[in-house]
Amino acid sequence: MVIVFFLDAIYALSVLRCKIGIVVTILALFVKPISSQTNKDLKHLIDNIFSSYTPKVRPMINQQHALTLDVSFYLSSITEVNEVKEKLVTTGYLELSWTDELLGWTPSDYNNTETIFVPQNEIWKPDLVLKNGFKKFEELGGSFYYLSITYIGAIIWLPFHVFESRCAMDITKFPFDTQSCDITFVTWSHSVDQIEIFKSSKGIDFYEYEENGVWHVLSTSSKIQKNKKESEITFTIKLQRKPLYYVMNIISPVVFLGYLNILVFVIPVDAGEKMSFSVTVFLSFAVFLTIISAILPTSSDSIPILAVYLIVQLIYGVLALVISSFQLRLRHRAETEEVTSNWVKVIQMQQKLRCKNCVINVKQNKEKDGSNTLQNNYVGPDVAYDWNHAASSIDFFAFWIFFITNSTITIIMFTMAVLL
């Protein structure tokens, strides 16, 4: 028994050694050796490659060749869209990549070091400035920014910045408008023969983007201008305004006031509140026009449809004041003064129009009751009219004319603003 147990132990050890040998062989084949860099390795590398380097020289061995620059834009937020100043404020960072032919090393000479990071002010950088910005020659990044450099001289620079650029606003369809804003960068001190923006590999992308409460980003694009003296790249952001705030706080009150203005012709002339009501509505429109003018740019190139609609409502208010004044004057004419024949025709037409539905209803009721007798309850031509009848007829015609025209203009204008 002892011999058998001893032989089994020897066999188990041999099997275990065989398995360990297989594992070691697999690790030797597939696992690469690990090497680590120390601070001395990096210091030695940086001292060697920067010993004769200067950021004052464009990093090309052949200075007659143009340096190829790749520019991409990462958008973090739409901070502000100022319609009055026609200014777009965005937050994000640029990704600039190029190859510095004066920086390079063999990784095996420095313990397989392939990438290093250096402060941005210690190497040459392209002088990229925001062409349509409010602040000219504003430096990108800061002294605390670092750039990554690979052993072949490939550099990536990621300057984070708040960009203030000009944006021409087309406010015709306000507040249902869309705006297309450009952010243009240009190599200010170098011509296209020295620095060429060859491509934008990623265009505009989003980096931890925060949605704006007023504007929605519809689309983005990038375009490179190659027909100019300097290299130039333009990033375009198409924005759509979120109109809910303006619909609730401006458009709805204006539309309701427009119909409220018509109610001046429902108030009897003898009530004494006709003129004061009309003046109050007119002043309300003037206040809303002032509010809209304060939030829109002072430009004659494009006028908002909403502002035109307010002007129309102001005209309606003026007409209502004029008509009400004329009615009051007409109503207080002397009773001995005879109503002219033209006014008699107007009064009779108004009475017939107002009683037409009454006649139809009476006819329908009589037919249901089996009776063929019709009663016309409008005043006959032999009845004497006074100036109160004339003022009432003006109210009737003015109410329906204002109601129909105001409804038509409201539908047409806001349909144009939303759909066109």
Side-chain angles (χ1 to χ4, degrees), residues 15 34 51 88 91 131 158 173 176 220 250 304 316 332 343 390 403 405:
V15 172
I34 299 175
S51 59
L88 171 68
T91 303
K131 182 179 180 181
L158 305 173
K173 298 172 64 177
F176 305 98
T220 60
I250 295 180
Y316 273 131
H332 290 88
W343 279 112
F403 180 82
T405 56

Side-chain angles (χ1 to χ4, degrees), residues 32-52:
K32 295 182 179 179
I34 299 175
S35 61
S36 61
Q37 296 84 29
T38 64
N39 60 338
K40 293 182 179 180
D41 295 329
L42 292 178
K43 184 177 182 303
H44 180 56
L45 171 60
I46 292 175
D47 290 340
N48 287 344
I49 63 176
F50 283 97
S51 59
S52 59

Side-chain angles (χ1 to χ4, degrees), residues 185-230:
F185 296 94
V186 61
T187 54
W188 189 256
S189 301
H190 293 83
S191 65
V192 70
D193 297 330
Q194 297 173 322
I195 299 178
E196 180 183 4
I197 301 177
F198 181 71
K199 63 177 180 177
S200 179
S201 59
K202 300 177 183 177
I204 294 184
D205 205 344
F206 295 94
Y207 173 75
E208 297 181 356
Y209 181 74
E210 297 180 3
E211 186 73 22
N212 188 274
V214 181
W215 295 92
H216 171 67
V217 179
L218 287 179
S219 61
T220 60
S221 62
S222 61
K223 181 181 179 182
I224 298 174
Q225 298 285 347
K226 293 188 176 182
N227 56 348
K228 296 186 176 182
K229 184 177 180 181
E230 297 87 7

Side-chain angles (χ1 to χ4, degrees), residues 128-382:
L128 204 67
V129 297
L130 186 60
K131 182 179 180 181
N132 59 339
F134 279 78
K135 300 178 182 178
K136 291 292 185 182
F137 307 107
E138 186 175 6
E139 183 182 4
L140 294 175
S143 58
F144 57 90
Y145 279 68
Y146 278 69
L147 296 83
S148 65
I149 307 174
T150 64
Y151 67 95
I152 60 174
I155 299 177
I156 297 179
W157 183 26
L158 305 173
F160 195 91
H161 205 70
V162 177
F163 303 98
E164 297 183 4
S165 57
R166 300 185 183 275
C167 179
M169 300 287 178
D170 183 7
I171 55 173
T172 304
K173 298 172 64 177
F174 173 87
F176 305 98
D177 55 329
T178 58
Q179 305 294 339
S180 182
C181 297
D182 295 336
I183 305 175
T184 303
F185 296 94
V186 61
T187 54
W188 189 256
S189 301
H190 293 83
S191 65
V192 70
D193 297 330
Q194 297 173 322
I195 299 178
E196 180 183 4
I197 301 177
F198 181 71
K199 63 177 180 177
S200 179
S201 59
K202 300 177 183 177
I204 294 184
D205 205 344
F206 295 94
Y207 173 75
E208 297 181 356
Y209 181 74
E210 297 180 3
E211 186 73 22
N212 188 274
V214 181
W215 295 92
H216 171 67
V217 179
L218 287 179
S219 61
T220 60
S221 62
S222 61
K223 181 181 179 182
I224 298 174
Q225 298 285 347
K226 293 188 176 182
N227 56 348
K228 296 186 176 182
K229 184 177 180 181
E230 297 87 7
S231 294
E232 182 177 304
I233 182 170
T234 300
F235 297 101
T236 302
I237 304 176
K238 191 173 183 180
L239 302 171
Q240 183 180 40
R241 193 191 302 269
K242 299 177 182 178
L244 181 60
Y245 171 82
Y246 301 97
V247 171
M248 296 297 295
N249 293 277
I250 295 180
I251 294 180
S252 296
V254 166
V255 173
F256 293 151
L257 280 175
Y259 285 97
L260 197 63
N261 192 31
I262 303 174
L263 296 181
V264 69
F265 301 112
V266 179
I267 301 175
V269 180
D270 295 333
E273 298 294 332
K274 203 175 186 68
M275 288 296 294
S276 60
F277 179 83
S278 184
V279 170
T280 302
V281 176
F282 177 82
L283 293 177
S284 301
F285 278 118
V287 170
F288 275 101
L289 185 60
T290 303
I291 294 174
I292 293 178
S293 300
I295 63 177
L296 296 178
T298 55
S299 173
S300 299
D301 296 333
S302 60
I303 300 176
I305 295 177
L306 181 58
V308 176
Y309 180 76
L310 278 174
I311 295 297
V312 172
Q313 294 298 335
L314 284 175
I315 294 174
Y316 273 131
V318 172
L319 291 177
L321 281 170
V322 173
I323 294 173
S324 298
S325 302
F326 179 72
Q327 281 183 286
L328 290 173
R329 184 70 178 177
L330 199 67
R331 172 65 183 85
H332 290 88
R333 283 188 177 183
E335 296 181 358
T336 56
E337 188 176 350
E338 184 180 356
V339 179
T340 61
S341 58
N342 292 330
W343 279 112
V344 171
K345 294 179 181 179
V346 172
I347 296 170
Q348 291 177 349
M349 182 181 298
Q350 173 257 341
Q351 290 179 339
K352 289 180 180 180
L353 291 174
R354 294 183 65 178
C355 295
K356 182 177 180 180
N357 294 331
C358 299
V359 173
I360 294 174
N361 293 332
V362 171
K363 182 178 180 180
Q364 292 175 350
N365 294 331
K366 294 297 183 181
E367 289 177 351
K368 291 180 181 179
D369 298 337
S371 175
N372 294 325
T373 305
L374 297 179
Q375 295 180 356
N376 295 337
N377 53 356
Y378 61 85
V379 181
D382 55 342

